[in-house]
């Protein structure tokens, strides 16, 4: 059976990062990320927004960098894994799921009317845990984006009525 535990979210920090240090000297930083989901109300037809608040923890160098650069309201991209915590208090069992971050990256959100392009990314405001399977960046740099259509190099032989447009 294949098990995958991978999470990628973007949202805004709901508060400044809170950092603690273990006796070993390891940093642990906790943040909360607000993730918005717009949807159209079936009854009224009006657009509404659902907000989910996701707790995130970062460890080590990721935690230290997040503590230095993270600020309330800042847009961030978080990549990591889900982790469930369970505890008992006054005879009542509790549990909570949070994201353990491997990568936290801040980015700028372009304002309306500033043209279409990719968001500006500042690599100085991110840090990644040392895991070879995690990509370094979550978007391709603008110079790597293709300017031509994927079908420019296709040549059809025979039937001249064949169209290279994909019907979906």
């Amino acid at each position: 059976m294949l098990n995958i535990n991978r999470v990628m979210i973007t949202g805004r920090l709901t508060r400044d990062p809170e950092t603690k240090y273990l006796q070993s000297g390891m940093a642990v930083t906790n943040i909360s990320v607000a993730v918005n989901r717009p949807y159209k109300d079936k009854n009224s037809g009006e657009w509404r927004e659902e907000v989910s608040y996701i707790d995130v923890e970062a460890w080590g160098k990721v935690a230290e960098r997040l503590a230095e650069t993270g600020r309330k309201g800042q847009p961030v991209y978080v990549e990591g894994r889900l982790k469930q915590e369970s505890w008992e208090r006054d005879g009542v069992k509790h549990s909570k799921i949070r994201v353990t971050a491997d990568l936290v990256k801040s980015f700028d959100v372009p304002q309306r009317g500033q043209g279409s392009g990719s968001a500006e990314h500042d690599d100085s405001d991110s840090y990644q845990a040392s895991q070879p399977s995690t990509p370094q960046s979550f978007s391709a740099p603008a110079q790597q984006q293709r300017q031509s259509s994927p079908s420019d190099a296709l040549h059809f032989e025979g039937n001249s009525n064949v169209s290279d447009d994909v019907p979906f």
Side-chain angles (χ1 to χ4, degrees), residues 97-159:
I97 295 178
R98 71 175 65 226
V99 174
T100 299
D102 297 324
L103 172 72
V104 178
K105 187 173 191 76
S106 66
F107 61 93
D108 293 329
V109 177
Q111 300 298 317
R112 291 183 188 255
Q114 288 185 343
S116 64
S118 62
E120 294 293 321
H121 299 283
D122 183 358
D123 287 336
S124 65
D125 288 346
S126 70
Y127 196 86
Q128 180 176 352
S130 57
Q131 291 188 355
S133 63
T134 306
Q136 289 290 337
S137 179
F138 60 95
S139 68
Q143 65 268 23
Q144 290 181 355
Q145 294 176 355
R146 289 184 58 133
Q147 298 299 321
S148 61
S149 103
S151 62
D152 285 349
L154 294 179
H155 300 287
F156 293 102
E157 294 180 21
N159 187 354

